[in-house]
Amino acid sequence: MSAAPDDPVYRNPVLDADWSDPDVIRVGDDFYLTASSFGRVPGLPLLHSRDLVNWTLVGHALERLEPEGEFTAPRHDCGVWAPALRHHDGRFWIFWGDPDQGIFQVNAPEIRGPWTRPHLVKAGRGLIDPCPLWSDGTGEAYLVHAWAKSRSGVKNRLTGHRMHPHGTELLDEGKVIVDGDRIPGWFTLEGPKLYKHDGWFWILAPAGGVETGWQGAFRSRSFFGPYEEKVVLEQKDTDVNGPHQGGWVRTPSGEDWFLHFQQRGAYGRVVHLQPMRWGDGGWPVIGDDGAPVAGHRRPELPPQPPAAPATDDDFPGGRPGRQWQWTANPRDGWATHHSADGLRLTCVRTADAHDLRLLPNILTQRLPGAPCTVEVDLRLDDGEPGARAGLAVLGDAYSWIGLERGQDGAVRLVHRFAETAADHEREAAPPRPAPGGRARLRVDIGAGARCRFSYDTGDGEVAGDLEDFTDTGDTGDGAGKGFRHSGQVFAATPWRWVGALLGLVALAPTGQGHAGTATFTQFRIRIQEKRADR
């Protein structure tokens, strides 16, 4: 989704998908944003904008998760948590916390790289949400981070360190500079972003939990404190729950803006843009006097053409676009490069064929935050019995539709699902013939991330009297194309910290030899609700 360049008002969210824990900077006339990528690869997405409203995905800073041996299998809620993006001394820097490893850093001369390999700045469990600061004029550098109680037994506090100006190591053991337990009513203090402004050290940090919390501001004349605090953004009487955790950025003309997330269940953490100013007493005022805005006058920046992170893909040369991520570190042979269009995935043999949540070889992208229709063509190529491939909606529970080769060599359309607590998938609908081993697969995703799966096997069988799936605005237009609904409506679910994902998968049971390949073509996402007022 994108905004018309001649519209003076934008609408939130400006990034209507799971770009979790965003941080933002300006370099010249360009704005850059990164976000959590957890256990998906490549990690650390890099987005670019010229107006803070229209964003495009330009790459990733992390080619593989390290240590590599820790991410050979999916760890959906682990990996890269809450990165901080900065520009210093002519280089881009990203710091992040891996809750099981410690604080890492990468840097590059340009936003598109080349990025260095991850460098472990501080080892330890439970170290999360780091943010550096190079203090202009003094030559000093600092770093602040939060704590994950699940790993360390500690939370609700921020620890500060002096950092080597090279960004490679910390120079002390650290000191608690903000203790949330000492602030009445505050809990789950985390996600700090560190700034220097008007002679003050500022820490913008959320508290209160991802679904119900608020944005806090802390300031001190000394980095190590003491700090005073104030709530500067909260839900109030709006429908934006938990508006917090993000970054402050200033435009060339001196306007201040704040980008933050809102937790939306299966859709993950979508990104809002809030106006910001410095009010009485020098404190930041975010949104409409501390309440998030649904829309606002655009930033005073040159008009830009509508833009949004890519979703559609023809897979030229067999290569997936930047929007795709594997569920673990990829291995050679999962995807085959070739001269034509289409994604050719190997049906990887696995002992975990009964549960997609355990597979590292699923290619995923974010679930759109608006009602939409997702379609892709699939051909199951030569292969062994049990080889299968399809289109999935993946989370703590999942459902997928696709093709499977039977023991008799025939290919059938299959539709399966697994509940949150189940360790094996079940049939969502009886298998059906798929002549020629081809199908067009479709998921209509409506309000509340309710998913209706459909298929067209090209067998001449028309859909007939299709039920109107009003959640997506689908009025039965699939009837003329031969689409038929399959199974019951499936309600997508998130992981613990990650929104639901769209996935392309090819697999086969354990055995000997090559199990075959599957080719995906013409992947398309059509947003059902057009929001020209955004």
Side-chain angles (χ1 to χ4, degrees):
M1 297 173 64
S2 57
D6 57 351
D7 192 331
V9 174
Y10 71 88
R11 302 290 298 177
N12 277 317
V14 293
L15 284 167
D16 200 3
D18 187 21
W19 301 95
S20 178
D21 312 319
D23 194 23
V24 62
I25 60 170
R26 177 178 65 87
V27 181
D29 294 328
D30 298 286
F31 300 92
Y32 300 103
L33 182 148
T34 192
S36 296
S37 50
F38 297 98
R40 302 193 301 279
V41 181
L44 290 173
L46 303 167
L47 288 82
H48 171 255
S49 177
R50 283 289 184 92
D51 63 1
L52 291 172
V53 175
N54 293 282
W55 293 87
T56 57
L57 179 64
V58 297
H60 292 81
L62 189 61
E63 183 177 346
R64 299 179 71 83
L65 287 163
E66 296 190 9
E68 290 202 20
E70 298 291 329
F71 294 96
T72 58
R75 301 179 66 197
H76 296 287
D77 296 309
C78 301
V80 176
W81 284 22
L85 173 62
R86 293 293 181 264
H87 189 260
H88 167 70
D89 198 24
R91 298 186 70 84
F92 291 88
W93 302 76
I94 301 178
F95 286 69
W96 75 94
D98 178 321
D100 300 300
Q101 307 293 331
I103 295 171
F104 287 90
Q105 169 258 102
V106 292
N107 61 85
E110 304 290 342
I111 195 68
R112 290 172 174 82
W115 289 86
T116 61
R117 286 190 63 176
H119 173 77
L120 187 61
V121 178
K122 180 182 180 181
R125 289 178 57 81
L127 308 178
I128 59 171
D129 308 350
C131 184
L133 172 70
W134 287 268
S135 185
D136 293 338
T138 69
E140 295 183 318
Y142 307 93
L143 184 133
V144 63
H145 70 81
W147 295 86
K149 185 175 181 180
S150 59
R151 274 69 165 188
S152 65
V154 176
K155 74 169 201 174
N156 204 33
R157 64 188 63 172
L158 306 179
T159 294
H161 294 266
R162 293 191 183 275
M163 183 177 72
H164 193 290
H166 291 166
T168 56
E169 60 182 316
L170 303 179
L171 302 179
D172 56 35
E173 294 301 313
K175 173 186 175 183
V176 175
I177 58 177
V178 180
D179 187 345
D181 290 342
R182 294 178 178 270
I183 307 173
W186 284 59
F187 60 96
T188 317
L189 176 63
E190 57 188 352
K193 295 295 181 283
L194 182 59
Y195 307 92
K196 191 79 176 289
H197 171 67
D198 197 25
W200 296 87
F201 286 91
W202 288 91
I203 299 174
L204 300 183
V210 295
E211 294 185 356
T212 57
W214 57 89
Q215 179 66 37
F218 300 83
R219 70 179 183 184
S220 174
R221 294 294 184 183
S222 166
F223 171 70
F224 287 104
Y227 283 84
E228 52 184 327
E229 82 284 341
K230 186 176 183 180
V231 174
V232 293
L233 183 69
E234 56 187 327
Q235 181 172 353
K236 295 189 176 180
D237 60 355
T238 74
D239 61 358
V240 181
N241 61 293
H244 67 259
Q245 189 155 333
W248 162 44
V249 68
R250 175 166 285 178
T251 69
S253 66
E255 285 187 339
D256 294 305
W257 296 85
F258 184 73
L259 283 148
H260 68 91
F261 76 68
Q262 175 199 11
Q263 172 67 36
R264 291 191 57 223
Y267 301 113
R269 301 174 184 180
V270 303
V271 178
H272 291 237
L273 176 66
Q274 302 294 336
M276 176 173 155
R277 60 183 174 84
W278 296 91
D280 295 341
W283 289 93
V285 179
I286 301 177
D288 181 8
D289 196 25
V293 299
H296 193 269
R297 172 190 56 81
R298 285 170 172 271
E300 290 184 359
L301 293 163
Q304 301 297 318
T311 56
D312 295 354
D313 206 347
D314 288 320
F315 309 106
R319 292 171 172 82
R322 296 188 182 102
Q323 66 268 36
W324 297 98
Q325 296 171 291
W326 298 101
T327 48
N329 281 330
R331 304 172 198 169
D332 292 340
W334 285 357
T336 303
H337 295 169
H338 52 85
S339 59
D341 289 353
L343 178 68
R344 189 176 300 159
L345 294 183
T346 299
C347 294
V348 176
R349 292 193 180 276
T350 174
D352 296 320
H354 58 282
D355 193 339
L356 300 189
R357 293 164 295 199
L358 305 178
L359 301 186
N361 58 303
I362 300 182
L363 203 57
T364 68
Q365 67 167 283
R366 293 161 178 83
L367 189 74
C372 64
T373 296
V374 182
E375 290 186 4
V376 67
D377 283 333
L378 170 63
R379 183 183 74 237
L380 192 61
D381 300 320
D382 58 308
E384 297 296 316
R388 67 201 75 159
L391 170 65
V393 177
L394 193 65
D396 273 343
Y398 72 84
S399 186
W400 71 279
I401 191 168
L403 299 174
E404 181 176 34
R405 189 175 299 277
Q407 293 297 322
D408 59 359
V411 177
R412 296 175 177 83
L413 189 290
V414 296
H415 182 191
R416 298 185 176 126
F417 77 100
E419 299 172 83
T420 298
D423 57 6
H424 280 70
E425 62 186 25
R426 298 162 52 195
E427 283 190 352
R432 304 182 66 90
R438 297 172 178 263
R440 180 82 177 158
L441 308 174
R442 170 169 160 175
V443 186
D444 291 303
I445 305 174
R450 297 176 66 247
C451 303
R452 169 68 84 179
F453 288 77
S454 305
Y455 65 92
D456 176 6
T457 55
D459 59 1
E461 181 183 34
V462 298
D465 185 19
L466 274 180
E467 169 188 352
D468 178 12
F469 190 45
T470 55
D471 281 327
T472 65
D474 181 359
T475 56
D477 65 346
K481 302 176 184 177
F483 276 104
R484 298 182 64 86
H485 290 334
S486 178
Q488 299 299 312
V489 171
F490 169 77
T493 64
W495 312 94
R496 185 177 183 189
W497 305 125
V498 180
L501 299 166
L502 299 171
L504 303 178
V505 60
L507 69 149
T510 53
Q512 300 297 315
H514 184 61
T517 60
T519 301
F520 296 86
T521 55
Q522 294 186 323
F523 183 91
R524 298 289 184 268
I525 296 180
R526 186 174 74 252
I527 301 298
Q528 297 288 351
E529 290 184 355
K530 302 297 182 183
R531 288 168 51 190
D533 60 341
R534 198 187 118 191

